[in-house]
């Protein structure tokens, strides 16, 4: 506890019947109340700031969804090309043994 006594205001004026301990306690309680009020105000400011940050982040949700969709589509495109190439290779390899079917299969392509 601090030994300094601070004047807090007229509401803490000590009546004649209070001991020095009670007077100092009342002064400290008043100081704590003022400090807690400042803490509450600062917490409210912080809360408003965080709400603003969240609101800005939510504005980018649709953009993020669009990019995710684009990434999904672009990620699937190379897989489809590889499947087509592997199918063509499989057809060519399977028809090597029988030249007549190879000509017939090529005519269908």
């Amino acid at each position: 506890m601090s030994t300094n006594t601070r004047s807090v205001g007229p509401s803490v004026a000590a009546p004649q019947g209070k001991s020095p301990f009670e007077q100092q306690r009342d002064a400290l309680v008043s100081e704590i109340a003022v400090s807690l009020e400042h803490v509450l105000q600062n917490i409210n400011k912080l809360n408003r700031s965080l709400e603003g940050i969240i609101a800005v982040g939510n504005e980018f949700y649709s953009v993020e969804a669009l990019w995710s969709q684009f990434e999904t589509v672009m990620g699937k495109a190379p897989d489809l090309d590889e499947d087509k190439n592997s199918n063509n290779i499989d057809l060519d390899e399977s028809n090597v043994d029988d030249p007549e079917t190879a000509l017939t299969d090529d005519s269908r392509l």
Side-chain angles (χ1 to χ4, degrees), residues 10-83:
S11 63
V12 186
Q16 294 292 342
K18 286 193 173 185
S19 69
F21 169 77
E22 291 174 335
Q23 293 172 2
Q24 187 175 12
R25 183 186 64 189
D26 290 343
L28 290 173
V29 167
S30 297
E31 185 179 337
I32 291 170
V34 169
S35 296
L36 287 175
E37 187 65 33
H38 288 286
V39 168
L40 182 62
Q41 289 172 359
N42 289 332
I43 288 174
N44 286 334
K45 287 179 188 177
L46 177 64
N47 189 30
R48 285 191 296 273
S49 296
L50 290 174
E51 285 175 351
I53 290 169
I54 291 171
V56 168
N58 287 340
E59 290 176 8
F60 288 104
Y61 177 75
S62 60
V63 175
E64 184 271 334
L66 182 62
W67 276 108
S68 293
Q69 191 176 26
F70 175 75
E71 179 185 18
T72 303
V73 169
M74 294 306 289
K76 289 182 181 178
D79 294 340
L80 294 176
D81 291 338
E82 290 176 12
D83 289 342

